Amino acid sequence: METSASPRPLYRIVFWIGLVGLFGGIAAGIFQSLRFVGLPPGIDYQKIQDRLVERLEDEGDYAAVARQKRLAMKYKVPFVPIKSASPRDLAEMAVAWYEEGERTGDPFCYHRAALSFVEMQALLTINKQSDAVQTWQETGRRLESLPPVRSQRWSIANPHFLGQLAWTMATRPGSDEHDPVRAIKFAEMACSQTNYRDAELLDTLAVAYAAAGHFEEAVARAEKAIERVAATELDPQRRLDMEARLELYKKQQPYVQFGRRETAGY
Amino acid sequence: MNKAATLSATSSRLLGRTFVHPIFDYLFIGGGLSLVVTAWVFAAGTPFIIDQAFFAYFLLFSNSAHFAASTVRLYTKRGSFEALPFITMAFPLVCLVVLAVCMIYPELLGENLLRLYLTWSPYHYAAQAYGLAVMYSYRSGCILSAPDKRMLWWVSMLPFLTVFLAARDHGLHWLLELGNLSLPLWVDTLLVETLGGSLRLLSFIAPPLLYTLVATNKSGPMPLISILAVATNVIWFAVLNTTEAFFWATVFHGIQYLAIVIIFHVRDRMSEPDNRHGIFYHVVWFYGACLILGYALFNCLPLGYNLAGFPPVESVWIVLAAINVHHFIVDGYIWRLKQGDSNRKVVEQGTTTAAGATAPT
């Protein structure tokens, strides 16, 4: 009788353990909220996370903070909108994702880097001021009307994404995004992926070297770029732009571009 | 039979046998309301979720309540403990253990749980659309033949297949990553752009084509609400961009789900001989329970994991993924329509047909 009994008593025990665990977890959550977030627990997940990460910052655990920020970006599910991201936030996000991709080799990271980057580009294109406030959705909508950007959007670690990133970081001195050293790194990666045969990427590399004050390297890369563009391109304006930039480097001047991208390079 | 009576019978058959009122059923369960919002979002973006605070409340009242609804239904339906001992009694602990293991290994397991949830969601929505379509057909006297049902199934699955192929961070690409595989660029482009794009296009054409085909078969025409349920799911994913599609599909799927589950709950309760309350009481009770449980699960539980020492991001996202997966699995059980089950009685109310029906999810 005992041995043939239904497993219900066991189920009941398991059920009560689960129930106690669940309600214990909920009660613990309310307690934790009381300590760090406030009561009643907020309903905005993003805010909850931000508060808890702030606590880590207060405790001085910066390694944990950095990891959490990276994970927050990685776990960002599609239906949670990113509100009010500035181009600087998005540039940092693109770089962080790129570096995460370099570290892990995970194509998902490169994809996210590309997404952050095109969002940043869109903000810079739409609003010249660096603290422009745009929602992800609005940005995405405008992006989709630009076919070249749309095709970039889904590319994974492609050299043209790197080239664009380098171009943005090299040509806007005084802006939050300006970072010539990183620009050289990205442009070199892009060029090496294309065996130093892509004229536009070589031009971008020259721009990056000039932005960092390495004018000899800039001249050498710019000459190579002009040589390549002569061999492959039919667009005379592109070559004229490159030649104009070469003249600047020879005068020890970097190429500077404010606001929106123009026709030359990236 | 005179012409007016024939016309009336035809229009009544096309309208279908609704649960509450044709306007309510078509707007909230069929998804008519979502078409209006989708057109608005398509034209003007998603302006009002700019406000994060509003967005959070919006999610709580529609989405969180909906995920909790399957659990509330499971435990309030008479006979659930006897009929589904594992799901009702053991499964919660299993989920808590899985959740804890995913928390301990967030990058190895937690992230995959999250991607599993993202992959499963479009399937879940598509299956719900299929279930609703079959259920309304059955209620309205349209007995779908096996080939018709198969056709309806595949048409309902088109949005899921599109997302499965095209999504970069879940679906097929996630499965390939799990197996440490990567596709050559040309195959990837072929899958994502050519095949994904073709399926997207096909998903527009398929619902009206299916409707016409079924109408000419011996099944006769399905009620319009059946094809509306399938078409709205298609439209969410085919018209809107990925971000908006995920957001709005989740919201309207939630509203649709809450409406149908509340109808089943209320009808169960009202048919009980010892019931002493009115419809309003049962509606408020059920929705209130869903809201409280949704809030406890999505907003309080993650903080509990944080108190236990798990970092903030994992605490929020992995809990969210686990609750979703729990909902998908529970849903697979609570909508079964066995002979004698109260679900079947609700579906059959007012019908004279005898063929088998399918659950909403």
Side-chain angles (χ1 to χ4, degrees):
Chain A
M1 196 70 182
E2 285 294 316
T3 47
S4 63
S6 75
R8 295 287 151 74
L10 181 64
Y11 272 132
R12 283 207 190 99
I13 293 167
V14 170
F15 175 63
W16 281 107
I17 294 171
L19 207 63
V20 168
L22 181 66
F23 283 99
I26 291 166
I30 295 170
F31 175 70
Q32 179 75 340
S33 186
L34 182 66
R35 291 168 72 204
F36 297 111
V37 183
L39 266 182
I43 62 161
D44 183 344
Y45 310 137
Q46 209 64 53
K47 208 173 269 174
I48 290 174
Q49 274 179 356
D50 290 347
R51 291 267 177 89
L52 295 171
V53 172
E54 273 170 28
R55 181 169 62 89
L56 289 174
E57 251 168 347
D58 290 345
E59 289 169 359
D61 192 350
Y62 297 111
V65 171
R67 183 175 177 279
Q68 287 297 301
K69 285 191 171 171
R70 207 163 47 226
L71 282 177
M73 287 188 270
K74 195 165 184 174
Y75 286 163
K76 197 142 278 184
V77 292
F79 56 78
V80 176
I82 299 167
K83 191 193 169 204
S84 309
S86 72
R88 184 185 172 81
D89 294 336
L90 292 166
E92 280 179 358
M93 215 180 272
V95 171
W97 274 115
Y98 188 83
E99 287 177 347
E100 179 79 0
E102 289 289 284
R103 195 176 67 78
T104 62
D106 182 357
F108 174 77
C109 300
Y110 292 124
H111 166 60
R112 284 291 180 187
L115 270 180
S116 304
F117 174 71
V118 289
E119 285 162 26
M120 181 197 77
Q121 282 290 70
L123 285 189
L124 290 170
T125 308
I126 298 159
N127 302 285
K128 290 180 184 176
Q129 66 275 35
S130 63
D131 59 347
V133 174
Q134 288 285 332
T135 65
W136 197 97
Q137 284 84 3
E138 286 165 348
T139 308
R141 186 165 295 286
R142 291 182 198 218
L143 275 173
E144 286 186 351
S145 65
L146 305 170
V149 175
R150 188 172 190 174
S151 63
Q152 284 290 326
R153 189 176 179 184
W154 302 115
S155 59
I156 295 171
N158 88 27
H160 294 278
F161 155 62
L162 293 170
Q164 287 199 352
L165 200 56
W167 181 271
T168 305
M169 289 179 158
T171 58
R172 295 181 172 91
S175 77
D176 286 344
E177 291 74 40
H178 193 63
D179 189 341
V181 176
R182 270 213 165 105
I184 293 172
K185 179 183 161 191
F186 291 141
E188 282 284 4
M189 284 178 179
C191 287
S192 92
Q193 283 182 29
T194 50
N195 297 324
Y196 293 84
R197 294 171 70 86
D198 186 300
E200 290 187 352
L201 293 175
L202 285 165
D203 182 34
T204 303
L205 184 58
V207 166
Y209 273 120
H214 304 305
F215 293 104
E216 271 183 38
E217 285 90 340
V219 168
R221 302 308 192 280
E223 284 173 346
K224 187 84 180 158
I226 291 165
E227 193 183 299
R228 294 293 312 164
V229 83
T232 57
E233 292 279 347
L234 296 172
D235 181 3
Q237 184 59 44
R238 187 159 296 188
R239 185 175 174 172
L240 289 174
D241 289 337
M242 288 182 185
E243 285 172 349
R245 277 194 281 278
L246 175 60
E247 289 308 308
L248 284 175
Y249 310 148
K250 284 178 178 167
K251 291 179 202 162
Q252 308 278 297
Q253 289 174 11
Y255 172 70
V256 174
Q257 181 188 44
F258 293 105
R260 62 184 297 132
R261 268 189 308 141
E262 289 158 9
T263 51
Y266 287 95
Chain B
M1 192 184 284
N2 65 39
K3 205 173 168 182
T6 313
L7 199 66
S8 166
T10 310
S11 64
S12 153
R13 179 143 196 211
L14 285 179
L15 197 62
R17 185 180 291 276
T18 52
F19 282 105
V20 180
H21 185 277
I23 295 176
F24 179 90
D25 282 43
Y26 271 77
L27 278 182
F28 295 102
I29 305 175
L33 181 67
S34 76
L35 292 184
V36 179
V37 176
T38 303
W40 177 35
V41 171
F42 185 67
T46 309
F48 61 82
I49 58 168
I50 289 169
D51 182 358
Q52 195 82 19
F54 180 81
F55 172 76
Y57 279 102
F58 203 62
L59 273 187
L60 174 68
F61 283 94
S62 62
N63 210 33
S64 304
H66 137 251
F67 284 115
S70 55
T71 304
V72 176
R73 173 71 179 153
L74 178 70
Y75 290 101
T76 56
K77 190 167 174 246
R78 304 279 186 241
S80 287
F81 282 94
E82 290 74 25
L84 302 166
F86 179 79
I87 289 293
T88 50
M89 291 187 267
F91 194 52
L93 185 63
V94 171
C95 286
L96 285 175
V97 171
V98 169
L99 182 55
V101 175
C102 289
M103 285 281 188
I104 294 166
Y105 303 103
E107 297 199 39
L108 183 69
L109 299 176
E111 195 182 321
N112 286 317
L113 188 71
L114 192 65
R115 294 201 201 181
L116 171 69
Y117 142 61
L118 291 173
T119 304
W120 202 331
S121 289
Y123 171 80
H124 177 71
Y125 303 155
Q128 177 164 307
Y130 168 78
L132 286 171
V134 175
M135 185 178 72
Y136 272 104
S137 296
Y138 175 74
R139 274 178 66 76
S140 309
C142 169
I143 309 303
L144 295 168
S145 62
D148 286 347
K149 271 190 183 174
R150 254 200 311 277
M151 217 160 35
L152 178 62
W153 168 260
W154 282 108
V155 171
S156 305
M157 287 297 138
L158 284 173
F160 161 67
L161 292 173
T162 310
V163 176
F164 185 78
L165 287 178
R168 291 288 183 191
D169 44 6
H170 51 275
L172 179 66
H173 287 84
W174 165 59
L175 294 177
L176 287 170
E177 270 179 54
L178 276 182
N180 247 339
L181 300 167
S182 63
L183 296 171
L185 192 61
W186 70 270
V187 179
D188 194 70
T189 311
L190 189 77
L191 276 179
V192 174
E193 289 177 16
T194 314
L195 194 55
S198 309
L199 282 176
R200 197 181 290 262
L201 193 68
L202 183 66
S203 59
F204 277 114
I205 306 161
L209 200 66
L210 169 81
Y211 188 82
T212 315
L213 277 171
V214 173
T216 54
N217 289 349
K218 68 174 182 185
S219 307
M222 288 191 281
L224 289 171
I225 194 165
S226 290
I227 209 68
L228 181 66
V230 173
T232 47
N233 190 50
V234 162
I235 286 167
W236 296 334
F237 285 98
V239 171
L240 302 176
N241 66 37
T242 316
T243 312
E244 285 168 343
F246 253 97
F247 174 71
W248 288 111
T250 306
V251 166
F252 283 108
H253 164 84
I255 292 170
Q256 189 177 54
Y257 189 95
L258 280 166
I260 196 78
V261 76
I262 288 174
I263 287 169
F264 274 69
H265 172 80
V266 170
R267 294 206 171 181
D268 268 0
R269 287 288 182 268
M270 295 301 286
S271 67
E272 286 171 359
D274 56 346
N275 172 52
R276 285 194 305 240
H277 299 288
I279 291 174
F280 183 72
Y281 170 87
H282 291 301
V283 171
V284 171
W285 187 94
F286 190 87
Y287 183 67
C290 296
L291 206 57
I292 291 167
L293 184 65
Y295 176 71
L297 291 176
F298 284 97
N299 300 95
C300 303
L301 188 60
L303 284 157
Y305 278 92
N306 183 245
L307 180 70
F310 295 106
V313 176
E314 288 91 330
S315 299
V316 170
W317 292 117
I318 299 177
V319 168
L320 187 143
I323 298 168
N324 278 276
V325 172
H326 173 269
H327 165 76
F328 300 151
I329 293 171
V330 167
D331 242 19
Y333 288 91
I334 61 170
W335 292 105
R336 287 181 177 176
L337 304 177
K338 286 182 189 160
Q339 286 291 351
D341 190 291
S342 65
N343 283 347
R344 194 175 187 92
K345 287 178 192 152
V346 174
V347 174
E348 284 178 343
Q349 268 169 12
T351 65
T352 52
T353 50
T358 308
T361 57

